[in-house]
Amino acid sequence: MIIKGLFFWWVMLPKDISQSELQVLTVYGSRNGVLDREKYTENLTNLPEDRKEYVIEGGCHAQFGCYGMQKGNGEPEISGEEQRGSNDWVYCGIDKAVG
């Protein structure tokens, strides 16, 4: 199996893959209070320059799953169903998502 792309859901990437030929997509909610935006921005240099970013407007951290709110989560402006539904296109495959 050859890996052609990666999805990153609100994560930090301390390992440098910036010189790889991977297609990369980062996804997070605009109301994500758990995500450390400063560290996220710093770590973008570890990703290929042509990486794509998708922000789910009104989405928060906990609504990526169904495990409930967390301390510092942020107040969502959309329902969990709307948030998870808004990224259905991502599951089609990275070529369609970032192509």
Side-chain angles (χ1 to χ4, degrees):
M1 175 192 275
I2 297 173
I3 297 173
K4 293 184 179 183
L6 299 170
F7 292 112
F8 292 103
W9 303 91
W10 73 84
V11 298
M12 302 302 147
L13 185 68
K15 184 167 174 67
D16 188 345
I17 62 168
S18 62
Q19 299 306 308
S20 75
E21 294 182 14
L22 293 170
Q23 296 178 66
V24 173
L25 172 66
T26 62
V27 180
Y28 63 90
S30 66
R31 305 286 296 169
N32 185 341
V34 176
L35 176 66
D36 183 326
R37 306 277 171 134
E38 187 175 324
K39 285 184 181 178
Y40 172 80
T41 301
E42 288 172 12
N43 280 294
L44 289 177
T45 60
N46 291 332
L47 299 176
E49 276 189 34
D50 65 346
R51 62 125 183 116
K52 305 291 186 205
E53 178 178 86
Y54 182 72
V55 180
I56 299 172
E57 290 302 321
C60 70
H61 181 81
Q63 291 184 158
F64 278 104
C66 297
Y67 49 82
M69 299 305 239
Q70 298 177 331
K71 182 179 178 181
N73 185 68
E75 280 296 316
E77 296 174 337
I78 60 174
S79 71
E81 292 79 22
E82 288 175 291
Q83 179 168 332
R84 288 184 297 279
S86 71
N87 50 25
D88 281 349
W89 61 271
V90 173
Y91 298 106
C92 294
I94 197 159
D95 288 324
K96 292 180 183 175
V98 300

